[in-house]
């Protein structure tokens, strides 16, 4: 059973900024690949939220490295 994914306002803004940067500097294809990669990881997190390591024990925040320049933090 998958868990619902709720994006914070800040994460939505950051994601839009990343896509804008990729589209302007690297092209539409790279931006599309980044969207696909992000959707795949989000689906994995939804199905198995504990698969990535905890990086902040107190707040139970987990870390998923998406690319060498982009990381997803979630709880």
């Amino acid at each position: 059973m998958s868990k619902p994914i709720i994006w914070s306002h800040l994460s939505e803004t950051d994601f839009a900024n990343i896509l804008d940067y990729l589209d302007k500097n690297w092209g539409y294809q790279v931006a599309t690949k980044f969207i696909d990669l992000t959707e795949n990881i989000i689906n994995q997190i939804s199905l198995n939220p504990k698969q990535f390591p905890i990086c902040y024990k107190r707040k139970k925040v987990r870390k998923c490295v998406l690319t060498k320049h982009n990381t997803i933090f979630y709880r």
Side-chain angles (χ1 to χ4, degrees):
M1 185 165 143
S2 63
K3 302 249 182 193
I5 302 296
I6 301 168
W7 290 60
S8 69
H9 178 69
L10 179 60
S11 63
E12 288 176 343
T13 304
D14 285 347
F15 187 67
N17 289 337
I18 291 167
L19 291 178
D20 186 48
Y21 171 82
L22 291 175
D23 189 37
K24 285 181 182 176
N25 295 293
W26 295 93
Y28 176 77
Q29 255 185 328
V30 172
T32 302
K33 284 183 182 180
F34 184 76
I35 291 170
D36 292 341
L37 175 64
T38 304
E39 286 177 352
N40 288 336
I41 293 296
I42 295 296
N43 287 334
Q44 287 181 23
I45 291 170
S46 174
L47 294 172
N48 186 7
K50 294 182 179 181
Q51 77 183 43
F52 296 104
I54 292 176
C55 63
Y56 298 109
K57 286 185 181 181
R58 267 198 166 151
K59 294 186 179 183
K60 298 180 182 174
V61 174
R62 294 182 180 271
K63 175 182 176 179
C64 170
V65 178
L66 200 54
T67 68
K68 68 180 183 177
H69 300 291
N70 298 285
T71 301
I72 294 175
F73 294 93
Y74 70 95
R75 58 185 163 139

